[in-house]
Amino acid sequence: MIRLASHATLLGTILLSAGLAQAEPPAFAADGDIGVCTTAAFPPLTFKESPADAKPTGIDVEIVEALAGLWNAKVNYTVTEFAGLLPTLGAGRCDMIASGIYINAKRRETYDGVSYMKSATAMVTKAGSDAIKVPEDLSGKVIALEAGAYYKEERIEPLNKALIAKGQPPVEVQEYPTQQAAYQQVLVGRVDATVTEEAEGAYRASRSDGELQLPYTWASDFTYGIYSRREGSDAAAVKAGLKTLKEQGFFGGIAKKYGLDPALFDVDYDR
């Protein structure tokens, strides 16, 4: 189960106790300001505990704040729907994306992406929906997905191809602006399931008063990443910053705070 602690980030404690030296910043941070795009709607990675909060919190937020500390910069957040993250970055309205977004080859055709955390994909259903235990059980059923998420291409399209080959009806996909909206469709019974990231799904289920469950998790080598525009050595600077945080024990502290397996942060930054 994922446990959230206080609102305070680990940034000050980790940087002060570890004595991190200032690192060479990427070009986009050279002026002391970093614009970060995020949905602020994907706990425990990025979210607002209250809609009125001026600043998001979560794993992603703590990571970019720690990087900013290394680069002697401050962070400004642009909150957008998931489908708007990459277009907003591409338009130059932010410098980085940190928002529970997978590293994949398609996105890397246009942007630089650096991994920082392992992930897995989970199916979420209404509690008591015992007829759905494995992906094949979704045949002929309806699922809700967050628009712009990669689950449709990575999970549902291959599943539908296999189902059709067996003469079984495919899964119908309905897309919604946010993952929260997808959950609402599950809760009110308009759809049979949603697909999301394991930690996010576990967080939502743990706070659903027993109304949601995770019947299935796909084996996965997916990683979350920080995306930036393909400019000079910016990606190398992000990579170096993450390596420095790892060496100083920052990610061990994050794992402890959020009740996660520290091994989730054992990623190959050069991959």
Side-chain angles (χ1 to χ4, degrees):
M1 182 179 295
I2 296 178
R3 302 183 300 272
L4 294 182
S6 66
H7 293 198
T9 71
L10 295 174
L11 175 61
T13 302
I14 295 293
L15 294 183
L16 289 175
S17 63
L20 290 181
Q22 184 176 333
E24 185 69 24
F28 62 71
D31 63 355
D33 288 290
I34 304 171
V36 173
C37 286
T38 188
T39 65
F42 197 66
L45 285 96
T46 171
F47 65 105
K48 291 185 178 182
E49 293 189 340
S50 168
D53 289 347
K55 174 184 167 183
T57 188
I59 294 169
D60 287 342
V61 173
E62 299 207 26
I63 291 171
V64 297
E65 293 283 349
L67 288 172
L70 292 178
W71 300 330
N72 194 28
K74 64 180 181 179
V75 182
N76 301 300
Y77 295 93
T78 296
V79 175
T80 183
E81 294 176 352
F82 192 89
L85 290 171
L86 290 168
T88 303
L89 175 66
R93 295 197 292 273
C94 61
D95 303 304
M96 295 167 38
I97 295 172
S99 194
I101 183 169
Y102 286 149
I103 293 292
N104 62 51
K106 183 177 180 180
R107 291 169 179 153
R108 275 180 162 168
E109 289 175 0
T110 307
Y111 304 97
D112 281 326
V114 181
S115 298
Y116 62 85
M117 180 182 174
K118 297 176 184 177
S119 178
T121 311
M123 181 196 307
V124 183
T125 64
K126 199 166 183 178
S129 300
D130 296 332
I132 302 175
K133 296 180 180 179
V134 296
E136 291 75 13
D137 293 334
L138 293 172
S139 174
K141 293 182 169 56
V142 183
I143 67 167
L145 296 180
E146 182 179 25
Y150 216 59
Y151 308 120
K152 183 176 179 181
E153 290 84 356
E154 288 285 350
R155 297 303 183 195
I156 304 307
E157 289 182 359
L159 173 61
N160 277 342
K161 184 177 180 180
L163 290 171
I164 292 169
K166 295 177 182 178
Q168 298 176 334
V171 183
E172 179 185 337
V173 175
Q174 296 180 359
E175 294 185 287
Y176 294 86
T178 66
Q179 184 61 43
Q180 177 62 30
Y183 283 117
Q184 289 301 318
Q185 304 310 304
V186 175
L187 289 169
V188 301
R190 291 197 185 102
V191 303
D192 299 287
T194 185
V195 176
T196 187
E197 190 276 331
E198 182 181 19
E200 195 270 348
Y203 174 90
R204 299 279 193 183
S206 71
R207 285 154 177 78
S208 70
D209 295 325
E211 292 191 75
L212 295 172
Q213 64 183 14
L214 278 66
Y216 186 85
T217 301
W218 280 264
S220 172
D221 61 356
F222 287 168
T223 59
Y224 287 126
I226 292 173
Y227 282 93
S228 60
R229 288 183 297 281
R230 190 167 290 155
E231 296 179 358
S233 60
D234 284 357
V238 172
K239 196 179 299 181
L242 290 170
K243 287 180 179 179
T244 298
L245 294 178
K246 176 70 173 178
E247 292 166 0
Q248 298 295 333
F250 174 83
F251 291 109
I254 285 282
K256 182 177 181 180
K257 175 176 178 178
Y258 288 88
L260 300 174
D261 182 349
L264 289 175
F265 296 99
D266 291 336
V267 300
D268 181 357
Y269 298 116
D270 296 314
R271 181 182 170 203

